[in-house]
Amino acid sequence: MKKILFFFVCVMSMFAFGQSMDRGARGERIPWMNNEELRWLDAALYDSGFMFNDRVRTAYYDYCMQLVAEDLKFNEETWEWLNDHPAVFNATFALEFPPNPNVIHNFVKLAKLVGPYYAEKYQQLLIAFAVKYRHEKILDGAMVTDRYGSITSRNLTWDPARKAQLEQEVNARHGWAVNHDIDFDEKNYAYAPSGKLFPDQQILRDWDARLDGKFKLTDANALKVVDWLKANPKTQIYEIMSLDQGRFKNKTGLDMNPKSLPWDTIAHVAHRYPPRMEGPIVANLCLRIQRYEERGAEKSELFPLSRAPWPLLLLLTQQDPIDESTYWWNYYKGKGNVPGYATYSFDYTKPEIRYHDGVWHPDATPRILVDGGVCGRLSTMAEFAQRSIGTPAQGMGQPGHRAFMTYTFKNGKYQTELHHSVNTIDVSTVGWHLPPIYGPTTDPETKETTFRKMLPNNSDASMRDNVRWHIGLCEAMNIGLVNWENSRMALHILDMYDEVGVSNNQAEAMLRSAMLQNIANTDAVFRLAKVRKSGKNSARRIEDLMQGFANMFVAVEEGCTNDKPLALNTNFGDTQAGADLSALLRSNFAQTIRNTKKVKNEWALFVRQAIFLGAFTNIPDITDEQYLPKNRGRAGWNEDKNAYAKVVENELKYQKKLANSPFLAEVTRLNDKYEKVRLQKVNEGRVNIKEQRARREAEEGAW
């Protein structure tokens, strides 16, 4: 099904570009960037009518290569290998503009670390790690001890046989070393009596130093307690920490108040349980590969780690504690699953539970399985356990509650699943690892609502971090990673030229072509809504966009709404290319409309409602330049504000017919606000009638 869908998208895109040139944008002057390196992109955009096609993509790709190449100090052999593996360039150029060369640098370092065989097989996973840590250059030096690392922790040692195998593969196939093609400044090296230390080795030493600093005791009384505990290993900490000062002195011989002592630090320094610290980046990567390479792992029902697209693998790049991660992997191998829950209890706060001796820190996930906890601890344990077996997972917030979310692969499709949820999806929030989403925002000073990057200072967290964005990301990956990357490249091109000015026709042409590439790229949808909001007949044009999502993404019981499905030739802005977009929408996301009143696609309804909120929250301002007397004047303002009020009225009817919409209350409040606009329109009509009658009477009297 996925292949058929991808083929359909490609065919539709080719037809739109080849047969349905956007007449509004074609022939318009292409904004001049005053950059000789962009002349091929200028020409390609002019020929396409400012739409994204293969030629435009190639010109953009070549320009990005010029931007990153000067920062990448690779030798010829490495460049040849990279040219045969363009996926990392696609990801880098699609992610953001200007492209960050650290993504490519990190990918090469990780590929040389794991060796060519695993770099080929787990290419998308390596890209995910390279993207996640793109704000730094990782592995700019040898691994700990040697080229492939001696990755150790309390419960894990990297398999020497595997390391030797990787070493042999690398030498036999490419003769690569991790750093042989990178130039280093000597002053960045650190030295030790045993010889030269590479920067990443120094990083690990700094990490150890932080660990020592975190649990370093300078308090004389606390150090005395540590010495006493070491001399009395059979005495548990909880047996003495709650004693009063007199009984504490009788028990230990130490004259001090135990309630003033830092017991957590004392427990670590006295070796009663180990600290809990994040694991190294590379250790987490290598372990994920190592586990999936175990016999039978990839044939099981585990998440398809070697085939999944990198945007979905970003949730597997956390620096999880290595020993805990290994514990859950061994748990899975023994039982065939990992726990989703444990005892719901506050007992874990009791001293006799938290401070008993053990091999795990009290907050470590294996301890949660034994000690129990409430929503935060239990969902953390389940989320961590899922991630340990290769399932992308992340914590999910709900009012007064913590749950978690996973990506799954079922019936040939990627899906988002919610776990431990106790509330509705509209208040479920999950962090976002990709660049900020484009969506409805409100200016904190002017209170004006529009569409732009959603940031903490201009948008509500329940909208900005809603889990539906993850649902939409899975939808986008089901259409195809390449299509999603192409769609993002189209947006970057528009941003480049927007700096020097593009027309509304050009912007709309580029955005529609981006939507043709991947309709589930919500950034393109909201950008198109913004462009339409700034033009004439904005209410009708935005409502046209909303209707596409209402009728083709959202399925309700037949007869539940009076809305008629859009025709295949719906205008989407009075262009032939729009007809192809409409067909694409219908073919890709139409749902069955039988036997249910439930909304079938939460993400699509969310996007539709976000378009509405970003476009119609504010009544058009009469001081806007377009309403000056020399432009559309007051008549144009009246026309627009009345059109906005009508859209809000229609939206309220639509929300009521959905029966289970989470947006009904919000639209109701907005409708009340626009009620004044409708009353004003009625009153103006009455005044006009009176004026006309008075004018006729005056004329008759004069006659």
Side-chain angles (χ1 to χ4, degrees):
M1 181 61 189
K2 184 178 178 182
K3 292 182 178 179
I4 295 174
L5 194 61
F6 176 74
F7 175 75
F8 177 79
V9 172
C10 293
V11 170
M12 291 303 302
S13 301
M14 291 171 60
F15 176 81
F17 298 146
Q19 304 295 328
S20 306
M21 194 68 68
D22 189 291
R23 300 300 172 185
R26 183 163 177 78
E28 290 190 3
R29 181 186 66 83
I30 300 298
W32 185 47
M33 295 290 289
N34 197 23
N35 186 338
E36 180 67 17
E37 294 176 350
L38 287 171
R39 65 187 185 280
W40 303 118
L41 184 56
D42 290 341
L45 287 171
Y46 180 82
D47 289 344
S48 72
F50 218 82
M51 297 178 74
F52 186 87
N53 60 16
D54 287 343
R55 187 180 169 199
V56 170
R57 183 191 188 281
T58 299
Y60 170 78
Y61 188 99
D62 291 344
Y63 178 61
C64 288
M65 283 293 293
Q66 294 180 56
L67 294 180
V68 301
E70 59 186 32
D71 292 323
L72 299 173
K73 310 300 181 182
F74 299 142
N75 61 18
E76 185 176 345
E77 180 185 61
T78 302
W79 277 112
E80 288 179 1
W81 186 81
L82 277 173
N83 288 333
D84 292 334
H85 299 78
V88 67
F89 292 123
N90 296 340
T92 305
F93 302 158
L95 180 68
E96 54 197 358
F97 186 87
N100 189 335
N102 285 354
V103 175
I104 303 166
H105 174 96
N106 292 347
F107 174 78
V108 169
K109 306 301 286 189
L110 295 172
K112 295 186 176 188
L113 170 74
V114 303
Y117 174 77
Y118 298 117
E120 295 272 1
K121 186 172 182 179
Y122 296 96
Q123 180 176 226
Q124 293 292 308
L125 180 62
L126 268 60
I127 291 175
F129 272 84
V131 167
K132 175 64 181 294
Y133 300 101
R134 64 188 180 278
H135 300 300
E136 58 182 308
K137 288 186 176 181
I138 58 176
L139 285 179
D140 257 3
M143 279 297 293
V144 185
T145 304
D146 61 29
R147 192 189 320 178
Y148 293 106
S150 176
I151 301 173
T152 60
S153 73
R154 184 157 45 88
N155 294 335
L156 171 76
T157 301
W158 182 255
D159 182 1
R162 176 59 50 76
K163 186 174 65 173
Q165 178 185 356
L166 289 173
E167 183 91 20
Q168 183 178 3
E169 287 179 357
V170 169
N171 289 333
R173 298 190 185 191
H174 295 284
W176 280 352
V178 172
N179 296 297
H180 82 285
D181 61 352
I182 298 291
D183 296 327
F184 287 104
D185 186 346
E186 284 289 324
K187 67 182 180 181
N188 289 331
Y189 284 114
Y191 291 86
S194 59
K196 184 179 290 186
L197 290 175
F198 290 99
D200 59 317
Q201 289 177 293
Q202 185 61 41
I203 287 172
L204 286 181
R205 290 208 169 188
D206 292 342
W207 185 82
D208 290 336
R210 290 201 309 273
L211 182 65
D212 292 339
K214 184 174 182 179
F215 302 114
K216 187 175 182 179
L217 280 176
T218 56
D219 182 85
N221 286 340
L223 289 170
K224 291 177 182 178
V225 175
V226 168
D227 292 337
W228 189 89
L229 287 170
K230 289 181 177 179
N232 296 270
K234 292 185 178 180
T235 301
Q236 298 279 322
I237 286 180
Y238 67 82
E239 295 175 357
I240 61 173
M241 65 181 297
S242 58
L243 299 176
D244 58 40
Q245 189 166 347
R247 295 170 63 195
F248 184 80
K249 182 178 180 180
N250 292 336
K251 178 73 173 179
T252 65
L254 302 174
D255 188 8
M256 61 187 71
N257 182 4
K259 295 182 180 179
S260 65
L261 295 172
W263 287 106
D264 278 333
T265 308
I266 288 172
H268 293 308
V269 178
H271 301 141
R272 292 308 178 96
Y273 52 72
R276 185 174 193 255
M277 296 290 285
E278 63 186 17
I281 297 170
V282 172
N284 274 280
L285 167 64
C286 291
L287 281 175
R288 299 206 186 284
I289 294 175
Q290 181 186 12
R291 290 164 185 164
Y292 267 60
E293 287 299 306
E294 291 185 12
R295 182 174 298 173
E298 278 225 321
K299 295 180 180 179
S300 66
E301 295 182 357
L302 294 173
F303 191 77
L305 195 63
S306 64
R307 304 189 303 278
W310 66 264
L312 300 186
L313 297 177
L314 285 170
L315 299 190
L316 292 174
T317 60
Q318 289 93 331
Q319 293 180 256
D320 292 335
I322 298 301
D323 46 3
E324 293 180 43
S325 180
T326 303
Y327 171 88
W328 293 116
W329 176 251
N330 291 333
Y331 187 106
Y332 171 79
K333 290 198 296 183
K335 300 192 176 185
N337 56 41
V338 290
Y341 224 71
T343 303
Y344 189 92
S345 170
F346 283 95
D347 288 349
Y348 70 94
T349 61
K350 295 179 179 178
E352 61 269 27
I353 293 180
R354 178 172 179 82
Y355 289 101
H356 71 69
D357 294 351
V359 297
W360 297 104
H361 185 279
D363 295 330
T365 49
R367 275 283 294 270
I368 297 174
L369 183 62
V370 177
D371 297 347
V374 291
C375 61
R377 281 170 61 90
L378 300 183
S379 62
T380 297
M381 179 200 72
E383 168 204 340
F384 191 99
Q386 287 293 332
R387 207 159 55 234
S388 299
I389 64 171
T391 303
Q394 187 163 317
M396 180 174 68
Q398 294 178 336
H401 178 68
R402 187 191 191 277
F404 74 103
M405 171 209 79
T406 61
Y407 297 144
T408 60
F409 186 71
K410 295 181 178 179
N411 301 320
K413 288 188 176 183
Y414 296 104
Q415 301 174 0
T416 302
E417 292 191 2
L418 312 186
H419 308 266
H420 294 195
S421 179
V422 299
N423 213 316
T424 56
I425 195 170
D426 54 302
V427 294
S428 301
T429 57
V430 181
W432 189 250
H433 292 282
L434 291 163
I437 293 171
Y438 217 87
T441 64
T442 302
D443 187 285
E445 295 182 0
T446 65
K447 306 303 180 184
E448 182 182 357
T449 301
T450 184
F451 301 95
R452 56 182 171 174
K453 287 184 178 179
M454 302 177 76
L455 303 171
N457 66 346
N458 66 23
S459 55
D460 190 297
S462 63
M463 174 72 80
R464 183 176 65 254
D465 295 327
N466 194 274
V467 71
R468 293 185 182 94
W469 301 126
H470 293 269
I471 298 173
L473 186 62
C474 286
E475 296 274 19
M477 294 305 109
N478 288 330
I479 296 175
L481 172 62
V482 173
N483 297 75
W484 181 79
E485 290 174 334
N486 285 345
S487 183
R488 289 187 62 85
M489 290 182 193
L491 300 185
H492 298 329
I493 292 171
L494 179 58
D495 284 337
M496 289 168 57
Y497 282 85
D498 202 36
E499 293 179 2
V500 292
V502 296
S503 70
N504 270 11
N505 283 334
Q506 289 171 331
E508 179 144 341
M510 181 61 71
L511 290 167
R512 279 201 319 277
S513 64
M515 290 175 67
L516 274 171
Q517 286 289 330
N518 195 316
I519 188 62
N521 181 1
T522 50
D523 289 297
V525 177
F526 293 130
R527 292 284 296 270
L528 182 57
K530 180 180 181 180
V531 169
R532 293 190 167 192
K533 185 178 179 181
S534 63
K536 189 177 180 180
N537 298 322
S538 59
R540 181 186 64 79
R541 286 157 53 76
I542 296 172
E543 192 172 26
D544 184 37
L545 183 62
M546 290 167 53
Q547 285 299 98
F549 287 87
N551 292 311
M552 298 175 187
F553 283 89
V554 182
V556 293
E557 184 181 20
E558 192 168 11
C560 184
T561 75
N562 293 326
D563 292 328
K564 296 180 180 180
L566 292 182
L568 288 178
N569 63 350
T570 187
N571 60 37
F572 273 94
D574 299 313
T575 64
Q576 182 60 34
D580 302 323
L581 175 60
S582 178
L584 180 68
L585 283 161
R586 180 178 296 281
S587 298
N588 284 352
F589 292 101
Q591 303 272 353
T592 176
I593 57 173
R594 295 176 185 154
N595 304 325
T596 179
K597 287 186 178 180
K598 295 293 182 181
V599 173
K600 290 293 187 181
N601 191 312
E602 281 279 1
W603 166 75
L605 180 60
F606 182 61
V607 171
R608 180 190 186 281
Q609 185 65 15
I611 296 172
F612 171 77
L613 292 176
F616 300 109
T617 301
N618 300 109
I619 299 173
D621 190 346
I622 195 170
T623 62
D624 192 284
E625 184 177 351
Q626 65 173 314
Y627 302 125
L628 292 175
K630 65 179 181 180
N631 296 325
R632 297 178 60 203
R634 188 177 183 88
W637 175 68
N638 278 320
E639 179 184 351
D640 285 352
K641 69 184 180 71
N642 292 331
Y644 275 39
K646 184 62 176 176
V647 172
V648 174
E649 184 180 21
N650 291 340
E651 181 66 15
L652 181 60
K653 294 177 181 178
Y654 177 80
Q655 294 291 333
K656 288 180 177 179
K657 291 173 183 177
L658 283 178
N660 67 320
S661 171
F663 303 110
L664 179 58
E666 198 162 4
V667 177
T668 301
R669 287 193 298 270
L670 191 56
N671 184 68
D672 293 340
K673 175 182 175 181
Y674 272 94
E675 187 66 29
K676 297 178 181 178
V677 176
R678 284 187 288 275
L679 289 174
Q680 183 180 0
K681 180 183 179 183
V682 172
N683 291 332
E684 287 175 351
R686 290 171 178 169
V687 170
N688 290 336
I689 292 173
K690 289 181 179 180
E691 289 177 349
Q692 291 173 6
R693 183 183 298 125
R695 189 165 51 250
R696 284 198 305 270
E697 290 176 352
E699 291 173 351
E700 290 173 357
W703 178 255

